């Protein structure tokens, strides 16, 4: 655009030669609005002169605005580039705007040059998100839930609903025979109708298979630093070794054939309840399953305990015979104790009553250990021992 055209545009818009782009836009808008306002008075009548005037005004504005934008681009391209610094007013102002305000927790009274140590953020333990009833480190669960469950099971047993729990008692009795036979290295199959066939011949499959399960339990507890799982695995492996290789054959038969049925109802049900506090490895999903096992153990234990308490005090008679063949079966557990091992009726009543008291004492001791927090000592010892072994 030459000088003559620029002058015409300036004259048409009524602006000076040094007008800026912003000023030009304001003048154009003002003049254009005035023309539109003048046309509005005679909107129904065509006005070619006014339309031509508006068109000329817009053409002049577009030419002059394009010229000014081109000059602005050329000026920016010709200007030398400068690396911005924090001392430049725009950047310094921006830095001040984006800087977070100082608070009493982060500001230092000694001045801006003092090194401020950021607060240590403790990572959140995933166990905190676990359902509270499935947690093992909550003292309220360890102290209050077992007694409440025992009271609930007692109410169920004395109610008409107790009839539906009889199946658990039969299974616990038969598993008492079976577990004693397994620990002695014999094959046994606990059946739900009151009979457990046992092959009184040593079975390597039973012995080594059971030992392998104890080893797996120990290794899983070692990996996850669960002290009680390791203690249980070592204890069971020791009992298995003694009952298989050190116990006389007659004593073995006494355990799996005669005493282990009712005895198993006592000690197996007690173990079911005691394992409520034992934190097994994660793969066992024990946080939820322990409630089921405690319920089964509690209903079997309370049933056998109340029954033998009444037997000892003469309210009930000793249960001679067997479930399948009735009271006349000479192969019942109590018959074997009297005929095969020389026990008297008083001996039977007293020993099972003492066994019940011993189970109560073991259950109370386990409750006290976790109520007083003594279990944490074993967990710390196991954790330190595992770390020491890994370092070596």
């Amino acid at each position: 655009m030459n000088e003559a055209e620029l002058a015409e545009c300036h004259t048409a818009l009524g602006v000076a030669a040094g007008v800026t782009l912003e000023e030009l836009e304001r003048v154009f808008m003002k003049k254009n609005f005035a023309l539109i306002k003048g046309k509005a008075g005679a909107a129904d009548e065509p006005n070619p002169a006014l339309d031509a005037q508006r068109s000329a005004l817009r053409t002049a504005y577009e030419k002059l605005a394009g010229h000014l934008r081109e000059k602005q681009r050329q000026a920016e391209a010709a200007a030398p580039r400068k690396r911005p610094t924090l001392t430049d007013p725009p950047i310094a102002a921006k830095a001040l705007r984006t800087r977070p305000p100082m608070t009493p927790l982060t500001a230092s009274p000694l001045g801006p040059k003092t090194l401020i140590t950021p607060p240590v953020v403790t990572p959140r333990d995933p166990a905190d998100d676990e359902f509270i009833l499935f947690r093992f480190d909550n003292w309220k669960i360890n102290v209050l839930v077992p007694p409440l469950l025992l009271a609930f099971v007692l109410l169920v047993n004395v109610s008409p609903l107790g009839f539906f729990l009889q199946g658990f008692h039969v299974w616990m009795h038969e598993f008492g025979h079976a577990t004693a036979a397994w620990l002695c290295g014999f094959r046994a199959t606990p059946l739900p109708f009151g009979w457990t066939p046992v092959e009184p011949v040593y079975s390597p499959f039973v012995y080594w298979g059971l030992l392998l399960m104890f080893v797996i339990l120990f290794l899983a507890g070692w990996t996850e630093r669960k002290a009680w799982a390791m203690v249980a695995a070592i204890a069971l492996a020791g009992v298995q070794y003694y009952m298989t290789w050190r116990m006389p054959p007659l004593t073995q038969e006494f355990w799996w054939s005669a005493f282990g049925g009712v005895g198993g109802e006592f000690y197996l049900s007690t173990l079911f309840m005691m394992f409520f506090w034992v934190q097994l490895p994660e793969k066992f999903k024990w946080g939820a399953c322990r409630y089921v096992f405690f319920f089964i153990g509690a209903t079997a234990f309370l049933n056998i305990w109340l029954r033998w308490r009444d037997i000892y005090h003469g309210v009930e008679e000793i249960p001679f015979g067997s479930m399948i063949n009735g009271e006349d079966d000479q192969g019942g557990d109590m018959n074997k104790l009297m005929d095969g091992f020389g026990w008297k009726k008083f001996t039977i009543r007293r020993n099972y009553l003492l066994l019940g008291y011993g189970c109560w004492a073991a259950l109370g001791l386990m409750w006290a250990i976790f109520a007083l927090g003594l279990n944490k000592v074993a967990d710390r010892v196991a954790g330190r021992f595992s770390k020491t072994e890994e370092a070596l």
Side-chain angles (χ1 to χ4, degrees), residues 179-349:
T179 52
W182 293 337
L183 291 172
C184 294
F186 302 146
R187 292 179 182 269
T189 306
L191 300 176
F193 47 81
W195 182 46
T196 301
V198 179
E199 299 179 10
V201 179
Y202 171 72
S203 172
F205 175 79
V206 172
Y207 180 82
W208 294 107
L210 202 60
L211 183 61
L212 178 61
M213 293 177 60
F214 299 153
V215 172
I216 292 174
L217 176 61
F218 179 85
L219 293 177
W222 177 275
T223 302
E224 300 183 17
R225 294 183 174 88
K226 301 294 191 298
W228 288 98
M230 294 187 287
V231 170
I234 294 174
L236 291 171
V239 171
Q240 181 197 28
Y241 172 80
Y242 174 77
M243 294 184 67
T244 301
W245 305 112
R246 297 298 181 184
M247 185 174 286
L250 184 60
T251 308
Q252 290 179 340
E253 183 180 356
F254 165 80
W255 278 99
W256 63 259
S257 176
F259 186 80
V262 176
E265 291 187 62
F266 275 106
Y267 58 75
L268 283 182
S269 59
T270 304
L271 288 175
F272 273 35
M273 292 186 291
M274 290 175 64
F275 265 74
F276 177 87
W277 291 278
V278 176
Q279 188 174 4
L280 295 179
E282 294 296 332
K283 63 182 62 179
F284 291 90
K285 304 299 180 183
W286 190 241
C289 294
R290 59 179 178 155
Y291 286 90
V292 178
F293 276 76
F294 190 95
F295 180 84
I296 295 174
T299 184
F301 178 76
L302 290 175
N303 174 77
I304 197 66
W305 160 251
L306 294 175
R307 184 179 186 184
W308 279 93
R309 186 194 61 178
D310 293 342
I311 291 174
Y312 180 80
H313 292 291
V315 179
E316 292 188 28
E317 292 293 332
I318 296 176
F320 289 102
S322 63
M323 180 179 294
I324 297 177
N325 298 321
E327 297 180 358
D328 297 330
D329 185 6
Q330 297 300 315
D333 294 352
M334 302 299 110
N335 302 79
K336 293 178 181 178
L337 287 175
M338 293 188 65
D339 300 335
F341 298 97
W343 282 28
K344 305 297 183 182
K345 289 185 178 181
F346 173 76
T347 307
I348 295 175
R349 295 191 186 98

Side-chain angles (χ1 to χ4, degrees), residues 135-147 226-229 231 273-280 286 290 362-379:
R135 296 179 60 177
F136 290 87
D137 57 349
N138 190 292
W139 71 271
K140 294 181 181 179
I141 301 299
N142 293 332
V143 175
L144 301 179
V145 169
K226 301 294 191 298
W228 288 98
V231 170
M273 292 186 291
M274 290 175 64
F275 265 74
F276 177 87
W277 291 278
V278 176
Q279 188 174 4
L280 295 179
W286 190 241
R290 59 179 178 155
L363 189 63
L365 178 62
M366 196 73 171
W367 178 87
I369 289 174
F370 282 82
L372 298 175
L374 300 180
N375 60 300
K376 297 180 180 179
V377 178
D379 292 335

Side-chain angles (χ1 to χ4, degrees), residues 101-141:
M102 301 294 285
T103 63
L105 295 178
T106 59
S108 173
L110 301 179
K113 294 183 179 180
T114 304
L115 180 62
I116 301 175
T117 305
V120 179
V121 180
T122 305
R124 183 176 178 84
D125 188 359
D128 294 339
D129 299 328
E130 191 177 14
F131 184 47
I132 187 172
L133 292 178
F134 296 164
R135 296 179 60 177
F136 290 87
D137 57 349
N138 190 292
W139 71 271
K140 294 181 181 179
I141 301 299

